[in-house]
C-alpha cells in the first residue's frame, strides 16, 4: 500500500507527466467471432455477470470483465501510486475548477474517437442517474457538473474546493461512450447486454450465463506493447466455488484463478508442480459494521461490548494463516504511515469486560449467562474467508452472552440486503481504501455510499469535510482525529488488513500485479501483456 502524498495535489496546476509520442488508436475491434492468431487465456471465476453496465456496481466478475472494456482516467501501480492512463495530466485551474487532459489517440471499438465529451458525459450521467453501487457517485459530492473545454480537456466545476476528487474519480470511474450510453434515458437502468462498444484490450463477444464469457482482442490497443494485446481472447469460466476452481487449475482446465486464494491453499499450491502463486498487496480491510439505525446498536456500550468480544488475533492466525495484520482498530491501515496513528490500540479480546459493559448499560444475564441480545449478521457465501471468521465472531459473541444469528447468502442477495440496510451487523471487506479522506467521506458521512453503520456524528462529519479542503498537513491531523472517533465510538470495527495471493499455470508469464483483491492480475494492464513462455 502506498503512502499518500498530497503534495502533488496541493498546487493548482499539478498533474502527471505527459505521455510522449503519438500512439495509434484502438479501433476498430475485431469482428465478433473472428479468430485472430494468438493464445486464449481461460480464467476461473465464481460469479456470473449481473450487469454489463460498468456504471452499476455488482459482482466482481462484472468488474473484471467491464474493466477490460471501458478505460479509466488513471491506474495504480503495485506500490499504490496513481499513474496516467486515459488522462495524461490533471490538476486545478483554480480552487473550484479541476481538469483532466486526456490522450488524443484513442478510439472506441466502433472507430469513433474517445474525447473529453465522453468523460464529461460519464460524470454528468452518474450524478444525474445515481447508479446503484457506483463508487464514483459518492466521490462527486462536490462536483456540480463536468464539461468538455476541448476534445482533450475535461473541466470539473466544483461547488466547493475538494483536493481529493480528481485523483479518486480518475482512478475509480470507467469512461463509457457517450454515443452509446447517451441514447438511453437513464444509465442506471441500462443493461448493456449486447453490441458492446468498448476501448479496452479485449471486447466482449459472447456471454452464456452460468458457463462462460468470451472477450476478443481489440487492436491496435495503445497501452499494449507494440500496440497489440498479447492474447487473442480471454474466456471467463464460471465455477461454483474456489475449491472447484483449484481443481480446474490443477487439471489444466483453466490457466488463472481470478479470485484470490483462501489462505490455507497458498502454501499447498506453492508446492504444486505446474502452478505459480503470486502475492498481491492489500489495499483494503475486513470489518464489521453495526447498523446504528437498529436498536440496541445505537448504544455505544453495546457496540463496545461487541468489539471486546471478538478474538482478532485468533482470526488472523487461524483463518488468515498469518497473512493479515492488525490496523489497531483504526480505519487507517498501518502502511499509510502519513496518516496512521501508532498510539491507537486494537480492541482487547475480553469477553468478561464485554459482559461488564452490558451490565453497566442496564442489561441482565439469564441463568445461562445470556443478555437477551439477538442480532442478525449478513455475509456473502462466495467470500469463503469472511464466512469462516463470521462463524468465529458469532462464537466469540456467545461467550459474552450475545446471540448472533449468521445469515450467509449468495452475493447478489447480500448486495441487495446491504443496499437496503437489512442487517444488524454487516460482515465484509473493502477491496481498496486508497485515500483516507475520500474513504472516510464515503464510509462515515451521512448518505455516504458505503456508510454501512449508518453513522451520523456531526463532530466526525466536520473533521472529514474540513479535511476535504485542507492542506496536506492539516489533512493528516484531521484524519488522525477522525480515526480516533471511529475507533472509540465503534463506528466501524476493522478486523484486519490482508495481503492476497493468486494462482496461475506456470506456462504463463507477463502478469502485472495491481494492489487489492479487486485488481490483482486481472487488470487490463496485466492481461494486455500476458503470454505463454514457449
Amino acid at each position: 500500500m502506498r503512502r499518500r502524498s498530497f503534495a502533488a495535489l496541493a498546487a493548482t496546476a499539478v498533474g502527471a507527466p505527459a505521455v510522449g509520442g503519438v500512439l495509434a488508436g484502438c479501433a476498430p475491434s475485431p469482428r465478433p467471432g473472428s479468430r485472430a492468431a494468438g493464445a486464449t487465456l481461460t480464467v476461473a471465476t465464481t460469479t456470473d455477470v449481473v450487469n454489463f453496465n460498468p456504471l452499476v456496481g455488482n459482482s466482481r466478475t462484472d468488474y473484471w470483465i467491464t474493466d477490460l472494456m471501458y478505460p479509466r482516467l488513471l491506474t495504480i501501480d503495485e506500490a499504490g501510486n496513481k499513474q496516467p492512463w486515459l488522462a495524461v495530466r490533471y490538476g486545478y485551474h483554480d480552487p473550484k475548477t479541476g481538469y483532466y487532459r486526456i490522450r488524443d489517440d484513442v478510439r472506441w471499438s466502433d472507430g469513433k474517437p474517445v474525447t473529453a465529451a465522453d468523460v464529461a458525459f460519464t460524470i454528468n450521467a452518474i450524478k444525474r442517474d445515481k447508479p446503484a453501487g457506483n463508487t464514483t457517485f459518492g466521490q462527486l459530492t462536490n462536483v456540480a457538473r463536468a464539461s468538455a473545454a476541448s476534445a482533450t480537456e475535461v473541466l470539473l466545476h466544483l461547488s466547493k474546493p475538494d483536493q481529493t476528487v480528481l485523483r479518486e474519480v480518475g482512478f475509480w470511474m470507467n469512461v463509457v461512450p457517450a454515443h452509446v450510453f447517451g441514447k438511453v434515458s437513464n444509465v442506471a437502468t441500462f443493461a448493456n447486454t449486447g453490441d458492446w462498444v468498448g476501448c479496452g484490450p479485449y471486447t466482449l463477444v459472447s456471454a452464456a450465463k452460468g458457463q462462460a464469457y468470451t472477450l476478443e482482442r481489440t487492436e491496435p490497443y495503445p497501452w499494449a506493447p507494440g500496440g497489440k494485446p498479447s492474447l487473442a481472447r480471454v474466456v471467463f469460466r464460471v465455477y461454483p466455488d474456489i475449491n472447484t476452481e483449484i481443481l480446474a487449475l490443477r487439471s489444466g482446465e483453466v490457466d488463472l484463478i481470478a479470485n484470490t486464494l483462501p489462505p490455507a491453499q497458498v502454501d499447498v499450491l506453492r508446492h504444486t508442480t505446474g502452478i505459480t502463486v503470486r502475492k498481491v498487496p492489500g489495499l483494503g480491510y475486513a470489518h464489521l459494521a453495526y447498523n446504528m439505525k437498529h436498536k440496541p446498536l445505537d448504544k455505544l456500550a453495546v457496540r463496545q461490548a461487541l468489539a471486546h468480544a471478538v478474538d482478532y488475533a485468533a482470526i488472523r492466525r487461524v483463518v488468515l494463516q498469518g497473512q493479515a495484520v492488525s490496523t489497531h482498530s483504526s480505519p487507517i491501515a498501518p502502511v499509510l504511515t502519513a496518516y496512521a496513528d501508532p498510539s491507537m490500540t486494537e480492541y482487547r479480546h475480553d469477553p468478561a469486560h464485554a459482559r461488564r459493559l452490558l451490565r453497566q448499560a442496564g442489561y441482565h444475564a439469564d441463568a445461562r449467562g445470556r443478555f437477551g441480545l439477538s442480532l442478525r449478521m449478513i455475509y456473502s457465501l462466495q467470500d469463503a474467508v469472511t464466512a469462516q471468521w463470521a462463524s468465529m465472531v458469532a462464537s466469540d459473541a456467545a461467550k459474552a452472552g450475545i446471540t448472533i444469528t449468521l445469515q450467509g447468502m449468495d452475493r447478489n442477495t447480500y448486495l441487495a440486503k446491504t443496499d437496503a440496510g437489512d442487517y444488524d451487523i454487516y460482515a465484509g471487506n473493502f477491496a481498496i481504501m486508497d485515500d483516507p479522506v475520500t474513504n472516510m467521506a464515503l464510509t462515515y458521512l451521512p448518505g455516504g455510499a458505503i456508510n454501512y453503520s449508518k453513522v451520523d456524528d456531526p463532530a466526525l462529519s466536520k473533521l472529514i469535510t474540513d479535511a476535504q479542503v485542507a492542506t496536506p498537513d492539516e489533512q493528516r491531523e484531521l484524519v488522525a482525529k477522525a480515526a480516533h472517533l471511529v475507533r472509540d465510538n465503534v463506528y466501524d470495527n476493522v478486523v484486519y488488513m490482508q495481503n492476497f495471493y493468486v494462482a496461475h499455470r506456470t506456462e504463463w508469464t507477463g502478469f502485472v500485479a495491481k494492489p487489492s483483491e479487486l485488481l490483482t492480475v486481472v487488470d487490463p494492464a496485466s492481461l494486455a501483456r500476458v503470454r505463454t513462455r514457449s
Side-chain angles (χ1 to χ4, degrees):
M1 187 182 297
R2 173 175 71 87
R3 182 192 310 178
R4 288 285 304 207
S5 170
F6 281 83
L9 279 177
T12 57
V14 177
V19 174
V22 176
L23 297 173
C26 60
S29 67
R31 178 174 50 82
S34 66
R35 289 292 179 265
T40 297
L41 182 80
T42 305
V43 184
T45 181
T46 54
T47 54
D48 264 300
V49 173
V50 178
N51 201 310
F52 294 100
N53 181 345
L55 304 185
V56 178
N58 272 304
S59 81
R60 294 193 179 191
T61 305
D62 295 21
Y63 179 92
W64 288 325
I65 289 178
T66 59
D67 206 39
L68 290 172
M69 300 168 63
Y70 300 98
R72 294 170 185 271
L73 291 158
L74 304 174
T75 186
I76 193 169
D77 64 21
E78 191 170 3
N81 300 301
K82 302 290 171 48
Q83 300 288 350
W85 200 247
L86 181 60
V88 295
R89 189 174 179 83
Y90 60 96
Y92 295 87
H93 288 312
D94 60 60
K96 294 177 65 175
T97 309
Y99 74 87
Y100 296 107
R101 200 156 296 151
I102 69 170
R103 301 174 66 127
D104 61 1
D105 57 350
V106 182
R107 292 181 178 276
W108 297 105
S109 55
D110 62 0
K112 296 184 183 299
V114 178
T115 70
D118 292 306
V119 180
F121 165 81
T122 306
I123 292 172
N124 291 330
I126 292 171
K127 282 196 66 71
R128 181 193 65 205
D129 298 335
K130 306 176 181 59
N134 185 289
T135 302
T136 306
F137 175 70
Q139 296 161 342
L140 293 172
T141 300
N142 297 324
V143 176
R145 65 184 177 87
S147 65
S150 69
T152 57
E153 181 166 289
V154 186
L155 299 180
L156 270 66
H157 307 279
L158 307 182
S159 56
K160 67 178 184 179
D162 186 338
Q163 289 288 325
T164 66
V165 64
L166 290 178
R167 192 168 291 187
E168 290 302 283
V169 170
F171 171 62
W172 283 98
M173 187 182 76
N174 289 107
V175 178
V176 298
H179 64 283
V180 176
F181 282 64
K183 292 179 180 177
V184 301
S185 59
N186 186 333
V187 298
T189 58
F190 179 40
N192 192 31
T193 53
D195 298 325
W196 293 285
V197 175
C199 186
Y202 306 98
T203 300
L204 195 62
V205 296
S206 68
K209 186 176 176 61
Q211 299 178 44
Y213 300 84
T214 300
L215 300 97
E216 290 198 345
R217 178 164 54 207
T218 300
E219 59 177 314
Y221 178 67
W223 292 277
K228 179 179 179 180
S230 53
L231 302 166
R233 64 192 62 82
V234 178
V235 177
F236 283 79
R237 289 197 180 280
V238 182
Y239 292 86
D241 53 52
I242 185 70
N243 293 323
T244 314
E245 287 182 317
I246 291 173
L247 289 174
L249 184 70
R250 285 175 178 270
S251 69
E253 184 175 311
V254 301
D255 306 301
L256 165 71
I257 297 177
N259 308 90
T260 55
L261 298 173
Q265 290 290 341
V266 172
D267 276 344
V268 174
L269 291 176
R270 273 178 176 153
H271 295 93
T272 300
T273 301
I275 293 176
T276 297
V277 174
R278 288 187 60 111
K279 180 179 178 181
V280 175
L283 265 180
Y285 58 72
H287 69 141
L288 294 159
Y290 307 118
N291 189 340
M292 295 170 60
K293 295 292 186 184
H294 290 188
K295 295 181 181 301
L297 296 170
D298 57 333
K299 294 182 178 180
L300 174 58
V302 173
R303 299 196 301 274
Q304 289 176 327
L306 286 163
H308 278 293
V310 180
D311 190 343
Y312 307 95
I315 289 173
R316 293 191 290 268
R317 183 178 66 254
V318 176
V319 180
L320 280 302
Q321 304 281 303
Q323 297 163 18
V325 298
S326 170
T327 71
H328 311 296
S329 295
S330 169
I332 309 300
V335 291
L336 294 173
T337 54
Y339 296 92
D341 184 348
S343 71
M344 294 182 70
T345 56
E346 186 170 74
Y347 271 92
R348 184 180 70 258
H349 171 52
D350 190 340
H353 185 57
R355 301 175 75 87
R356 282 195 296 273
L357 286 168
L358 292 176
R359 285 194 292 269
Q360 290 168 10
Y363 292 91
H364 302 284
D366 62 17
R368 295 180 297 174
R370 296 176 181 172
F371 287 92
L373 295 176
S374 183
L375 304 167
R376 295 183 298 116
M377 181 162 72
I378 66 168
Y379 58 95
S380 169
L381 289 172
Q382 272 75 47
D383 185 344
V385 172
T386 299
Q388 289 180 62
W389 64 255
S391 294
M392 293 180 68
V393 168
S395 177
D396 288 342
K399 296 171 184 173
I402 303 170
T403 300
I404 292 179
T405 302
L406 297 174
Q407 292 191 337
M409 55 197 70
D410 70 87
R411 184 164 180 79
N412 294 335
T413 305
Y414 169 72
L415 293 171
K417 284 188 173 291
T418 300
D419 286 343
D422 186 10
Y423 53 86
D424 295 322
I425 304 174
Y426 166 96
N429 59 77
F430 291 127
I432 306 177
M433 300 298 268
D434 61 305
D435 183 297
V437 177
T438 301
N439 298 334
M440 282 187 159
L442 292 170
T443 312
Y444 307 125
L445 289 183
I450 50 178
N451 185 350
Y452 297 153
S453 65
K454 313 299 180 187
V455 57
D456 183 1
D457 180 338
L460 178 60
S461 296
K462 186 174 189 311
L463 287 170
I464 295 170
T465 53
D466 285 352
Q468 289 175 318
V469 297
T471 65
D473 286 344
E474 291 170 339
Q475 281 184 338
R476 285 189 280 272
E477 182 178 348
L478 293 165
V479 164
K481 290 180 179 177
H484 275 276
L485 274 184
V486 171
R487 187 264 182 206
D488 295 347
N489 290 281
V490 203
Y491 292 146
D492 205 356
N493 189 7
V494 181
V495 181
Y496 59 81
M497 192 201 78
Q498 180 183 5
N499 289 316
F500 302 98
Y501 296 85
V502 295
H504 60 83
R505 298 290 304 176
T506 302
E507 59 262 34
W508 293 90
T509 187
F511 291 103
V512 178
K514 298 275 186 174
S516 87
E517 63 174 323
L518 190 61
L519 302 177
T520 67
V521 298
V522 192
D523 185 85
S526 175
L527 295 193
R529 61 184 63 219
V530 170
R531 64 188 187 282
T532 56
R533 294 183 184 277
S534 56

